[in-house]
Amino acid sequence: MKCRTWLAVTGVLAVLCAPGEVDAQQGRSIFSALDTQGRTVAVGEELQGSLSDGDVLSAGGRRVQVWTLGAEQGQEVQIDLRSDDFDAFLYVVGPGLNEGLRDDDGGSGLNSRICFVPDEPGEYRLVASSLNAGTGGFSLSAVPTEGACGGASTTNEVDDLANLPTEGRVLRVGDDVSGALTDTDPSFYGSAVQAWAVQGVAGSSFSVDLVSSDFDSFLTVIGPGLEEWLDDDDGAGRCDSRVSLTFSETGEYRVVVSTLGGGTGAFSLVASELPGPVNPESCVPPFEEGEGEYEYLEGNLDDVFTVGSLSMETAVTGVMAGDEVHFRSRPVQGWSLEGMGGTRVAVTLTSDQFDTYLFFDGPGFDEPLSDDDSAGDLDSRICVELPETGAYRVFAGPLSSADDGARYTLEASVVDAAELCGGVFEFSPERAAELLEGLDTEGRVIGLEEELEGTLSGDVRHPESGRPVQPWTLRAPPGTFLYVDVLASGFDGYLYVLGGGLDGVLTADDSEGTLNPRLSLTMPASGEVLLLPSSFDTSARGNFLLRVSTDPGSMESPDGGSATTGTMADASSVADVGPPVARLVFGGEISGTLRQTDGMTSGGGYAQAFTYDGTEGEEVVFELVAEDFDPFLYLVGPDLAWAVSDDDSAGNLDSRIEATLPEGGTYTVVASALREDVTGSFRLRVFRVIR
C-alpha cells in the first residue's frame, strides 16, 4: 500500500504518553497541555536545546519538547528549528491556531521554519520534534521578520481526516460528480483536503476514481471496519487515483480528496460498483509556475544549466549556488555523461550538508529516472543500463533545499556498478519489456475462470526491481474484460502484466484493503498475455493462488490469512549471523548494541541472534526498536519453512513480527540493521498478541 508522509507523522498529534496520557480540548492542540518546564524563547533570541530519551514520547515514537514563545501581539515572527543530529520538525500552537502550524523542511536543508503573527492574546508555544524519531542537539530561534517571510502563515490545518466535514457532499454508486479544491478548504500536512460522505452496506463492492487535470491527485477512504486508511496515488492511470473495496460494515465512510504535491483546482469523483479500465498514459503531474527568483519547471530538464561533465570512475565536486532552476520543486544542477549502449552504470550522489536527490535522463527514456536514499545515509544512487550510445545527463541537488555553498560529490562507475547495485538495474521501457517477455513460463498456462497454485522461489527475478516472479501465460478470448488476482498469505503480493499488444507493462499492488493485487484488463487481439505474479518485498518466498475471472471474487487469502504477520524470507539470509548472544523471556526486554564485530545478514547489515523457547499455539509479538539505525527483524524456528522478516510494521522505521508458533521448541530471533555499515543501540522485546 502506498503511504504518504502524513501517515508517518500523524502520531505526533495523537495521544501523547510517558508521562501519563493527555486529552486535547476541542479546537486546541494537545501540545497546549504539556509542561514547558520553564523553557522560554523571546523574540531576538537563539537558544540551544537537546531532544533526549527523557523528553515526552509521542504515540508515534518521537520525543518532543515544548517552549513558551515570548512575542508581542501583532508582531510577525520567524521561528527556526535547526539540528545536525536529526531531521527537524516544528510546531507552533496557541490562540487562534486551532490544531497549530507545522513545518518539516521550510528552512535550509532538513531544518524547519514557520512564520506567523500572534494576533490573539494568550500563550503561544513552540514544539521541537524530529521527523525520523531522532534525538540530539538543536537550536531554536525567534526573530522579527517585518514581512520578510511573506506574512502570516496561519492555516486551516486539521489533525484527523475522520473529523473533516462533508457539508452535504454525498457520493453514491453511479455518480460522476464535479468539485474543486480551493485555498479555503482545510489543509492536512500542507495539502488541501475535502471529504465526501458514502453510505456503505456491508458486503457490497465500491470503487471510486479521483480525476483531475489541475493537480496530482491523492485519494483516501476511511470508515468503519477499516483497520487503516485505504489510499492511492495513480491507481486509475495517468495522475488519477483509485480505491476499491468491499464494505466490511454498514455505516458512513468518507472519501477524502487531496493532492500529492500541493496545489488546488477542479476534479471529478467517479463512483462505481466495480473498477473501470486503467488509463495507460504515464503520470506527468501538473505544476504551478513559481514566483520569485527561481524558475519552476515540470517535465523539461533541457532548461537546467549544465555545470560540468562527468567521466566514468572520476568523482567530481559540486557547489549549490542558490539560483538553480527547480525541477519537480527541487533545485538541480546538470552534469553531462557520455556512455555506450548496453553499459551498466552506477551514479552516486553524496553530501554531508544536505539530503540528496538524483535525476537521470537521456536517449531511450520516456521520463527521467530518480532516486532519494538508495546509497544509504540520505545519499542517492541510480543504477541503470544505458539503452544506446550517446549523451546522457545527471541532475544533482537536495531533496528539498540546501544552503548556498553547500557541497556534494557525484560519481559514475562502470567498474563497481555490479557491486554497488547488487545486480539490480533500471532499464529503458523497451529494454525492460524485452527482458520480461524473455522469461520462461516453463509451460505454465492459465485460462478464463481458472484458479491455479503457484510458488515464488526467488529463482526468477524482475530485472529492475529484483522482486521474485513466476511467469505464466494467460490465454482468453480477445476483447474479454477480466480480472487477474494474486492471493497469498505469506507475503505482500504484486503483479506485472505485459505482452500480446498491451501498451507497456501494467502493474497492480494492494486491493480492497488487503495485501493482494488485482488488475483488470481487456484481452488484446492476440488473446495471450504474460502474467508475472510477484511480491512487493525482494526477499519474499511462498505459495500463492492465481485467479482469472470475469466476476471478481473476494480478495482475502484462501486460508483467511497467515499465522504470522511479516514477509517470508530465505532462512539463508541470517545463516552467517553467528551464535545467539542471549535468551529472550516472554514479557521481557533486552537492550543491545550492534557493532562492527557482529555477524551480518545476507543484505550486509550487522546482526545479533537471540533464542526464544516457545510453546505450540503461543501467540507472541517480537518488536525491535532503534533510534540509531533503521532496524530489520527476522524469526526462524521449528516448522517455519521460511524465515519471517519485517522492516517497518511497528511504525517509525521499527520492526514487529506477530506469530502463532506452529510448534514448541527453540526459535531464533535476529535483530539487524536494514543498511550496511550501520551500528547503534536497540531494544528487543517480547509480549503477547492483543486482539
Side-chain angles (χ1 to χ4, degrees), residues 39-50 65-71 75-83 86 88-92 103 106-108 111-116 118 124-129 137-145 149:
R39 291 182 289 259
T40 299
V41 179
V43 175
E45 281 190 313
E46 179 173 348
L47 301 178
Q48 305 301 312
S50 178
Q65 195 177 101
V66 185
W67 297 62
T68 299
L69 172 65
Q75 178 187 29
E76 183 177 337
V77 60
Q78 172 183 310
I79 313 298
D80 283 284
L81 175 64
R82 305 181 183 92
S83 176
F86 56 82
F89 200 94
L90 176 66
Y91 301 86
V92 176
D103 179 70
S108 61
N111 299 316
S112 305
R113 172 175 296 167
I114 290 177
C115 300
F116 82 111
Y124 290 83
R125 294 181 172 205
L126 313 180
V127 182
S129 181
F138 64 83
S139 67
L140 184 64
S141 65
V143 296
T145 61
C149 254

Side-chain angles (χ1 to χ4, degrees), residues 313-328:
E313 320 306 333
T314 302
V316 298
T317 299
V319 181
M320 301 302 295
D323 59 354
E324 286 81 16
V325 168
H326 282 52
F327 178 72
R328 295 181 182 170

